Amino acid sequence: MIGKLKGKAESVYEDHAIIDVNGVGYLVYCSAKTLANLSDGEFCELLIETHVREDHIHLYGFTNKEEKTTFSTLQSVKGVGTRMALAILSHLTPNEIAFALSTEDKNAFNAISGVGKKLAERIITELKDKFPSNGIMAAKPSAQNQISANHSTAHDAITALVSLGVGKSDAQNRVSAILSNAPDIKINELIRLALNS
């Protein structure tokens, strides 16, 4: 089994890249976020998950261990295969996925093509307790319980910040930091502080 590839990104396509390792070109499927970090002709290093089937051998590449672990964990949900797992990782980082799970934010998954309401609910139900055990946290460990307890406030605040032009990942980080220090904060004050942070 192939666990890692070091070589030159010979060609980068929409859903995969050709990695040249000592003259051998490996076709590696990756998320859009991973592919965005690859440039034609430049050296790269990818962690690899090899899938062997009767009719094919597919390689899936990741820039870090968190993305690779998340890819495997997502596939434990019925209805989430390799393509769907990559689609989710193309839109959300492992930390963003963990945050969406901890806040039970179905909209984060519904926004992804192919993920309907039922699948989004299944992902949250089946995975919300798995991510901390994998070492992937949405925020500082000390803040996690507070964020979970305030998931409705956090979700509403993040939605408001995004509508005001703050990037979703940035909004999540700001809300997480504030809630960790002030778990009982009112939503209006939370949004005001997040905008000024």
Side-chain angles (χ1 to χ4, degrees), residues 14-25:
E14 186 175 334
D15 65 346
H16 68 279
I18 304 297
I19 309 301
D20 184 332
V21 182
N22 298 324
V24 178

Side-chain angles (χ1 to χ4, degrees), residues 8 16 42 54 64 75 97 102 138:
K8 181 176 68 175
H16 68 279
E42 291 191 4
E54 288 184 3
N64 54 58
Q75 291 176 74
I97 291 171
S102 70

Side-chain angles (χ1 to χ4, degrees), residues 3-197:
K4 183 168 72 172
L5 290 177
K6 285 184 178 181
K8 181 176 68 175
E10 187 173 284
S11 304
V12 180
Y13 300 94
E14 186 175 334
D15 65 346
H16 68 279
I18 304 297
I19 309 301
D20 184 332
V21 182
N22 298 324
V24 178
Y26 293 89
L27 189 155
V28 184
Y29 293 97
C30 306
S31 71
K33 291 184 183 296
T34 292
L35 291 170
N37 290 323
L38 304 179
S39 299
D40 289 354
E42 291 191 4
F43 176 83
C44 66
E45 180 176 335
L46 294 175
L47 297 175
I48 300 294
E49 183 169 309
T50 306
H51 283 215
V52 180
R53 302 288 185 267
E54 288 184 3
D55 57 341
H56 69 255
I57 298 175
H58 282 174
L59 304 180
Y60 298 90
F62 312 93
T63 53
N64 54 58
K65 186 170 67 174
E66 288 73 25
E67 188 185 28
K68 185 173 184 288
T69 300
T70 303
F71 177 74
S72 299
T73 304
L74 285 168
Q75 291 176 74
S76 68
V77 177
K78 182 180 178 183
V80 179
T82 54
R83 287 182 180 275
M84 181 59 71
L86 283 181
I88 293 171
L89 284 167
S90 292
H91 287 81
L92 301 169
T93 66
N95 278 346
E96 288 171 338
I97 291 171
F99 190 90
L101 292 171
S102 70
T103 58
E104 298 185 18
D105 182 5
K106 299 185 193 70
N107 293 329
F109 298 104
N110 281 335
I112 300 166
S113 177
V115 180
K117 182 180 178 181
K118 287 185 178 179
L119 183 54
E121 290 176 351
R122 193 182 307 138
I123 290 171
I124 289 171
T125 300
E126 295 186 21
L127 299 185
K128 63 183 178 182
D129 296 325
K130 289 188 177 182
F131 270 62
S133 65
N134 287 335
I136 301 171
M137 302 298 286
K140 298 175 184 177
S142 59
Q144 189 66 30
N145 291 337
Q146 300 295 350
I147 293 167
S148 297
N150 291 280
H151 66 270
S152 179
T153 300
H155 176 267
D156 291 346
I158 291 166
T159 301
L161 290 169
V162 170
S163 71
L164 292 169
V166 179
K168 186 164 187 177
S169 179
D170 189 19
Q172 290 173 340
N173 290 335
R174 295 186 194 187
V175 169
S176 299
I178 294 168
L179 280 176
S180 67
N181 295 316
D184 298 321
I185 192 172
K186 300 296 183 185
I187 187 166
N188 290 342
E189 182 69 3
L190 174 58
I191 294 170
R192 186 185 68 78
L193 289 175
L195 281 172
N196 292 328
S197 63

